[in-house]
Amino acid sequence: MTTDTDSAVTDEIPVDDDAAPALRGVTDRDAVRQAREQKVGERPGTLQIRENALKPRLFMISYDEKSYKEREFTSYDELRTYYLSTPQQQHWLDVRGYGDLPLMERIMNDFDLPPLQMEDVLGDYQRAKVDVFGDNQLFLVSRMTDFTPNCDIEDDQLSIFTGSNFIISFQDDYEDCLDSVRNRIRSGKSQILRSSPQYLAYALTDVVLDHYYPTMAAIGDYIETLEDDIFRGRPNRRLLARILRIKKDITRFRRLVYPERDKLAELLRLPDDVLPENIKLFYRDCYDHAIQALDLAESYRESISSLVDLYLSSQSNRMNEVMKVLTIISSIFIPLSFVVGLYGMNFQREDEHGHVMPMNMPELYSPLGYPITVAVLILIVTVQLVYFYRKGWLTND
Amino acid sequence: MTTDTDSAVTDEIPVDDDAAPALRGVTDRDAVRQAREQKVGERPGTLQIRENALKPRLFMISYDEKSYKEREFTSYDELRTYYLSTPQQQHWLDVRGYGDLPLMERIMNDFDLPPLQMEDVLGDYQRAKVDVFGDNQLFLVSRMTDFTPNCDIEDDQLSIFTGSNFIISFQDDYEDCLDSVRNRIRSGKSQILRSSPQYLAYALTDVVLDHYYPTMAAIGDYIETLEDDIFRGRPNRRLLARILRIKKDITRFRRLVYPERDKLAELLRLPDDVLPENIKLFYRDCYDHAIQALDLAESYRESISSLVDLYLSSQSNRMNEVMKVLTIISSIFIPLSFVVGLYGMNFQREDEHGHVMPMNMPELYSPLGYPITVAVLILIVTVQLVYFYRKGWLTND
Amino acid sequence: MTTDTDSAVTDEIPVDDDAAPALRGVTDRDAVRQAREQKVGERPGTLQIRENALKPRLFMISYDEKSYKEREFTSYDELRTYYLSTPQQQHWLDVRGYGDLPLMERIMNDFDLPPLQMEDVLGDYQRAKVDVFGDNQLFLVSRMTDFTPNCDIEDDQLSIFTGSNFIISFQDDYEDCLDSVRNRIRSGKSQILRSSPQYLAYALTDVVLDHYYPTMAAIGDYIETLEDDIFRGRPNRRLLARILRIKKDITRFRRLVYPERDKLAELLRLPDDVLPENIKLFYRDCYDHAIQALDLAESYRESISSLVDLYLSSQSNRMNEVMKVLTIISSIFIPLSFVVGLYGMNFQREDEHGHVMPMNMPELYSPLGYPITVAVLILIVTVQLVYFYRKGWLTND
Amino acid sequence: MTTDTDSAVTDEIPVDDDAAPALRGVTDRDAVRQAREQKVGERPGTLQIRENALKPRLFMISYDEKSYKEREFTSYDELRTYYLSTPQQQHWLDVRGYGDLPLMERIMNDFDLPPLQMEDVLGDYQRAKVDVFGDNQLFLVSRMTDFTPNCDIEDDQLSIFTGSNFIISFQDDYEDCLDSVRNRIRSGKSQILRSSPQYLAYALTDVVLDHYYPTMAAIGDYIETLEDDIFRGRPNRRLLARILRIKKDITRFRRLVYPERDKLAELLRLPDDVLPENIKLFYRDCYDHAIQALDLAESYRESISSLVDLYLSSQSNRMNEVMKVLTIISSIFIPLSFVVGLYGMNFQREDEHGHVMPMNMPELYSPLGYPITVAVLILIVTVQLVYFYRKGWLTND
Amino acid sequence: MTTDTDSAVTDEIPVDDDAAPALRGVTDRDAVRQAREQKVGERPGTLQIRENALKPRLFMISYDEKSYKEREFTSYDELRTYYLSTPQQQHWLDVRGYGDLPLMERIMNDFDLPPLQMEDVLGDYQRAKVDVFGDNQLFLVSRMTDFTPNCDIEDDQLSIFTGSNFIISFQDDYEDCLDSVRNRIRSGKSQILRSSPQYLAYALTDVVLDHYYPTMAAIGDYIETLEDDIFRGRPNRRLLARILRIKKDITRFRRLVYPERDKLAELLRLPDDVLPENIKLFYRDCYDHAIQALDLAESYRESISSLVDLYLSSQSNRMNEVMKVLTIISSIFIPLSFVVGLYGMNFQREDEHGHVMPMNMPELYSPLGYPITVAVLILIVTVQLVYFYRKGWLTND
C-alpha cells in the first residue's frame, strides 16, 4: 500500500500539470525577492527551472582501474548510449547549468533520481544536506564558496547523486573548484580509479570543504586590514560600513558551514551498509575540518565585535580630540579677551568740569600700563599651557 | 475506567454551565489585554467564542480520483446531509469565521473533534502544534503570516483536523493563502485527488510555510531600505523607531516559526501507523524549509543589531560634525577677537601733563599698525585652516 | 533497613528539639535578608514558622457528585471530626495563613504529610515543583502572581497535597485567585464534583497559570506606555529607572514561570499509576500555556532591550540638540563679534604731529563705513543660516 | 591485573622521590600566580603542601546513639589509639590546617584514603565534586563562602571522606561555618547520632550550602546600595569600580555554585548501594537549594548589567547637564557681547574736514541710544530664557 | 572487503604521485594565508611537509623497570636497529622537527602509523584530538602553549602515537615543555618505568595541560595590569589595543582548551580494553583540570568585557572633564566680557551742539564707575564659582 502511494508520487510527475513553481529552500535575500514574483504553494516535487539558468553542458569522465576517458557530450542521447554500453566502467556525469527542463526530467527518469531531491537540485537554494534514497544511494548537497574582490562571499550549489557505478553532479555555473579532483583522475594513478563512486563523492565533498580555507583566509586578511585602518586612519562611516559588511560575510559563512558540519555528522551516523566504514574514515577527517572552520569563523566573529568596539571608541576619541582643541583655544583666549575688553572700557578720567576722577581706570594713565597688561596676558597663557600640558591635553593619545 | 473518565470529559461539555471564558494560549499583546477583561480560571474544554468573531461561512470541496465538487453551503444541515450521502468521497470542510457557538459545537460533536483541541481552535492564539487524537487522527495548527504595507506581521491561525475521509480546516478570516491548493484540486489532475486526507493536510501546511518566504523577503527589503536610509539621510528618532519595529517583527516571526519547526519535528517522530512514511517524506521537506526560514530570521536579527550599531554610530558622527563646526569657527575667531580687542584698549599715550608715554601701545601710533594687524589676523586664520585641513576636519567623512 | 531509617526520619520530628530555623529555598532579596538574622545550618525537616505569618484560617469544601458543603471551621478538632465522619465525600481543606506551629504539626501528622515538603510549604520561598510521596500522592507548589499598581510583581505560594479523598492547599495570605474554582464547585454541576482530587489539584494549578496572563498583559501595557513616553517626553533618569524596574519584573516573572514549566513537564513524565492519562491530558494543555507565557516573556525582554537602546539614543539625541543650539549661536555671533571688535580698534589716524596715516583704518573715516559694515554682518548671518538650514540643523529631528 | 597496577599507583607514593609539586586544580588568580613559581609537570598523586599552610589541629567527635564525646588531640598517635579502641562508635575526625606533610601521609595511609583525592584536598583549589572510592565510600568537596566587609567573596575548601564508621573532614583554616552541626550533635538528640556517617556528610554539605544565602543577601544589599548611589550621587569612576567588583564577585559565586549543583546532581544519580535512597532524599532538597541559589545569582547578573547601563546613562546625563550650562550661558551672552561690541566701533561721525557723516552710527548720537540698547539687551535675554524654559533646559531632569 | 579497501588506502601512499599539498586543519591566520598559496583539494592521506619545517632530530629514551637509556641518534637506521634489538624494553621515540619527508614516511611505515593521522601530525594545525587505530593503539594530539613577553599565545603541536612497547611523539620545534617528564624517568624511580606506554602518553598529556596554568596566570596578571592602567592613566587607543589583544588571546586559549576537554572526555568514554581503567583514573584528573582551566578562561572573558566597559566609561569621563573645563571658563568669562564690552560702547555724552545727553551711559561719568564695575565683575565670578563648587565641578571625580 505504502509502496503504491510512494511510487505514485514518483510516477505522477511527468503528467502533473501544476504549472507554477514551488519555492524551495530559498535563504538568500535576492533569491527570496525573486521568489516573491513566483507563485508560492505549488505541489512539491514539481521540477522548476529558474529563468536565468544557463544552458546545460554535459561532461562525462568514465574510468576503471586502468583507464579513464573524459569527454563533453553535446547530445544527451549519445551520452546515454555510451553510458549504457560501458556498464563495467564507473562514470562521473558532470552537469553544468540547468536551463533545459525536459533534459533534466530525462536525466531524472533515466537514472532513477528521486523528484523531491531533484527539485532541491534545481531550486534556488538548498543548505548542505545528505539524503539516502533508492538502493543505499546518497544525495549530497555541498555549497562551494568564493570570496570576491569586493568582499562578498559567493556560493554555488554542488549536488551529487551516487549510484552503483556512477555519480551525477549538478552545478549551475560552468566554472567550479573541482579541477583538482579531475586532475587526480587524469593522473591515472589516483585511488579514485580503484575505489567505488562513493569515494569519488567523498573526494568532491572534500575539495569543496578545502576551498573554505582560502575564503576564510581572505576574510581574516580583510579583518586585519580593517584593524590597521581603524588604528591608523580616521574613523568614518565608510569604514563602519566595511566592518558591517564583513560581519555579514561571516554570518553568511557560518550559515554555510553549520549545515555542512551537520551533513558530515549525519554521514558518520549512517549504517555501514549505506556508507562503508572505510569511506566514513575519510568523512571523519572532513568533519574535523568543518569543525575547525566553524571554530575559526567563531573567532572571526569575536574579532568583528572587537572591531566595532574599536571603531566606536575611535569615534569617541575623535570627538574628545575635537573638544580638546575647542577647550584649549577657548580657555586661553576667552580670559584674554576679557582682560583686553576691560581696558577698552570708556570710563571717563575727568568729569564734565574737568576734575580728575582718580578711581576711574588709573591703569590706563600709568606709563607702564600697557606693558604690564601684556605681561599679565602672557602669564595667563603660560599658566594655562602648563595646566593643559600637565593634564596631557597638548599631546596626542 | 480511564476510558470512562475520558469520555466523561468529552460528554459533559454541552451540559456544563461554567459560563466565563477560559483564556487559552494568548500570546499577543492585544489578545492579552482583551483577556484581562474576561474572567480567567474557568474550566478547560469550555468552548468560547471571541466577541468580534466573524459569522462562519462553510465551504466544502468533495473529491475522488476522478471528480471534485466545490460548494459554499449556507446551511450546515444541508452540508451534513451531503457529507453523509457521499461516504466514498473525500471532503475538505473549510470553515471561515467562528462567530456561531452552537454551530461550532455541532461540528465538534458530529465529527467527533476533541473539546480541548476545539478550544485551541476558537481561542485567541495557539502556537503551531500537532496533537494526535481518536483513531490516529491529527490536529494541526499552523500560523499564516502576512506582511502589511506599514511593516507589521499579521498572523492568522489555521487549524486542521484530519479524519478517515475528511479534513476540517478552521480560520477566523474569510481571506486566506490557500488558493493555490484549491487550484491544484480544481485542475483535476493533482496528486491530492489520489491521496489520503493526510496528504491534503500536508499540502495546506506546506503552502502556509511557503508563505513565510514572501514575508521574510519583505522584511529583508525593508532592512535594506533602512540601511540605505541610515547611510544617506540623517539619523533621527523616526528612523530608530522603524529599526526597532522591524526588530519586533523579526522577534515575532521567530516566535511563529520555532513552534512550526517543532511541530514538523514532532510529525516526523510520529509512528508510521499514525503518519505513513510516504507522507513523512514530504514533511521532511517542510522541516528543511522551516530550518532555512529560521536560519534566515537569525541572520536578519544580526542585521538588525548591525543597524542599531550603525544608527548609534551615525548619531555620534553627527555630533562629531556639529562639534567640528563649533570648534573650527570658535578656534578661528576667538583668537582674532582677542587681537582686535587688544588694540581696542584705551591706554593713554599721553599723561595728564601732555607727556608722551612711549610704552603705551606704540603700535597704535605706527603708520602701518593697522595693515600689519590685518596681516597678522590673516596669518592666524591661514595657520589654523592649514592645521584643520591636515587634521581632516574640513572635509566630510 | 532502608525503610527503618526512612521512618526514623519521619518519626523523629516531634521530639527533635533542634530549635533554630532551617533556611529553605529563599530566593527573594527580602526573604534572603531576613534569613541572615536566622541561624542557618539547622537540621532539615524542622518545621519553622516565619515571624510575621498570619494566624491560620481553615476552610473546607466537602463534595460528592450530588452535593457540596462549604464552611470555615474555627476549631481544627471540629474540622477533623467532620472529615473523619464523611469518608465517602471528597474534601478540599484550604489553609490560609501559617502562624500556628502546633496546628501545622497536627495537620502534618493527621494527614501523613511528609516533613521535608511541609517545610517547603512553611519556608520563605519555594520554586514551583512537584514531588511524589506516600501512596502515589502529589505535592505541588505553584506561585500565584499579581501585578501591583506601582509596577511590582507580587507572588504568593500555593502548596497542594493530594490524598485519596482530599486535597490540602496552603497559602500565606487570606486573599487568593482561586475563587473561580470555588464558584465552579458551588455551581453544583462542574466536572470537579465527579472527578478525583487530582482533577481539583489540576484545576487549581490551571487557574494559577491563567492568572499569569493578566500579569503579563499589565507588563505589556506598561512597556507600551514607556515606549510612548520615551518618544514623546524628554529622557530623564526617572524614565530609565522605570525601564529597569520593569526589566526586573520580567526577570522575576521568568524566574517564576521556568520552574512552573519544568514542574508541568515533570508531571507529564510521571507514570500513569501516579497520574492517570486523562488528567495528564489537561496538564498537557497547561504545559502549552506555560510555554506560551515564557515565549511572551522572552519577547518582552527583547522589547526592554530595545527600550534601553531607545532611551540611550534619545539621551544622545538631546545632547545633539543642545550642541546644535550652542554651535549655531556661537557660529553666528563669534564672527560678528570679531568684525565689530575690528572696528573698535584704536589705531590712530594721525601721528603726534598731526600727519594723517592713511593706512590706519580708512574704513572708519568713510561716510558709508558703518552701513557697509552692517551689511557685511547681515550677509555673514545669512550665509550661515543658509548653511545650517542646508545641514538640517535648524529643524528638529 | 588491573588491580595490581592500581595498587601499584597507591603503594608507590611514599618511595617516589619526585620532588616538585604538582599544580592541581588551581583556578584563582593568586593561586595561579603562586603556581608559576612551582615546577609544573610532576607526577600526579604526589602529596604537596602549600608553603603558607597552617599547622594541623586535630579534633574528633565520637558518638553513638546514646553518647558523644568531643576532644582536640595534640598527638595523632593518641587519636589513632582512641579511634581503634572504639570501633563501635562513629567518629568525625576534623582536620584543620594542612601544614604537616608526614602527618597528612599517615592519615591517608591509616584511613586508606586514595592519593589522587588526597592531592585534591591539599592542592590549591578544587571545584566542588564527588568521587566514589574504595568500598562505596564518598569523597566530597564543598566550598564554604564568606562575604568580607570590603566586598570580596572568600571561599575555603571543605573536603570530606566517608568511611564505614567515620568521616574525615579537611579544611585549611581554623575557623569554619560548621558549628551549627556540632551543636546539633552536642544537643544529644539530633538525628545525626542515630544515622550513618553518610548522614553527617550530608549535614555538613547542607550547612555549607545554607551559608550561600547570607553571602547572596550581602551581595543583594550591596547591589541595592549601588543603585541608590547612582541615582543620588554623581557618577564617578570609583562607583564604576565598585559595580565591576561586585560583578566579579557574582561571576565568582556562580563559578562556585555551578559545580556544587553538578556535584549534587551526580550524588542523586549514584546507585542506591553507594548512597541509600533515604539519604538521597535529603540531597534532593540540597539540589533544590543549589538551583535556587543559581537562579538568584543569574538575576543578580542581570541587575549588574542594568547597573552598568544606569551608570553609563548617568554619566551621559551629567555631560548633558554640563553642556546645557555652557550652552545657556554662551547663547545668552555671546549675542549680547556682539551688540555691545557693535556700539564700541569707532566709525567717525565727522570726516577730516569736520563734516558730519550721518550714516556712521547715528545711534551713538541719539539721546536715548543707550537706554534703548539696554532694553534690547534685556529683550534678547528674556526671549532666550523663555526659549530655554520651554525646552526644559532650565530645570533639572 | 572492507579490510582490502582499507589497506589499499595505506599501501598506495608511496606510489601516488598526487603532488600538491592537502590543506589540513588550518585554523590560524598565518597558516591560513600560507595555505592560499598551496593547491587545495588534493588527495587526503598525502604526506606533506611545510616549507619552513626544521630538520628532524631523533631522540630515544629506552627503559624498563630497572634501567633507562637516553640518546640522540643521528641515523634513523641505527635507531631502528637499536629498537629492534631491544624488544623487551619500552621506547619513547621523540621526533623534533619534520623537515625530511622520506624519513617521515619511513617512520610511518616501520611503526605502522596510519597515514591520515600522520598527515595530521605534519599538517599546519590540528585541534587536540584522540583517534584509536590499529590494535587498540591511540593517536593523541595536544597543543603546548606559551605566553610570550609581548602578550601573544604561541602554541605548538604535540602528536603522540602509542604502541605495545613504544610511544612516538612528534613536535615541530626543538624546544618543548616535557623536560619534567624526562627528569622523572631519569630519576630512575618514577612510576613511568613500571607502567605501560599508555601511562607515559598520559604523563605527557598531563604535563602539557599543567603548562596551561602559567599561561593563564600570565593572562590574569596582564588583565590586572590593564585594569590598573585604566584607573590610573589616561585612556588612549594603545590601551584599548592592548585590551583587545588580550581578548584575542583568551579567545585563542579557549579554542585550544575546548578541544582538549573534548579529547579527555572522549578518552574517558573509550572501552576499557582500549584504555584500562587504572589509566582512565588519571585522565579523569586531567579532565577536571581542563574544566577548571575553561572555567577560568570564561571568567577572564567576563573580566575583559568589564575592562572594555571601564575603558569606554573612562573615555567618556575624560570628555566630561574636558567639557567641564570649557564650561567653567566660558561661563565665567563670557558674562564678564559682556560687561566690559558694555562699557566699551561709544554712546556720546554730548550731542553735536555740546548738550549733555544724561541717559547715555551715565555710569561712565560717575567717579566710582570703574570700581563699582570691577566689584560687580568680582561678584559675578564669586557667584559662579560657588555654583560650580556646589555642583561639584571644581573637584575631580
Side-chain angles (χ1 to χ4, degrees), chain A residues 16 27 58 71 81 100 104 119-120 122 149 162 188 190 195 203 207 229 232 253 279 329 350 355 362 372 383:
Chain A
D16 189 324
T27 74
L58 304 171
R71 184 174 162 198
T81 313
D100 184 346
M104 293 299 125
E119 196 186 13
D120 288 337
L122 304 181
T162 69
S190 166
S195 308
V207 76
D229 283 3
R232 262 182 234 142
F253 187 74
I279 302 285
I329 290 190
E350 298 175 21
H355 297 143
I372 290 176
V383 166

Side-chain angles (χ1 to χ4, degrees), chain A residues 84-139:
Chain A
L84 291 175
S85 67
T86 52
Q88 78 293 349
Q89 286 214 313
Q90 302 202 347
H91 304 272
W92 171 13
L93 170 52
D94 179 5
V95 184
R96 307 189 200 164
Y98 305 151
D100 184 346
L101 182 54
L103 175 59
M104 293 299 125
E105 283 169 352
R106 283 194 61 192
I107 294 173
M108 181 173 79
N109 293 327
D110 289 349
F111 288 90
D112 276 334
L113 308 180
L116 276 172
Q117 273 71 31
M118 197 64 197
E119 196 186 13
D120 288 337
V121 168
L122 304 181
D124 286 297
Y125 189 98
Q126 175 59 48
R127 283 158 57 104
K129 74 164 184 178
V130 57
D131 282 337
V132 180
F133 69 95
D135 184 23
N136 285 341
Q137 292 171 268
L138 294 180
F139 170 61

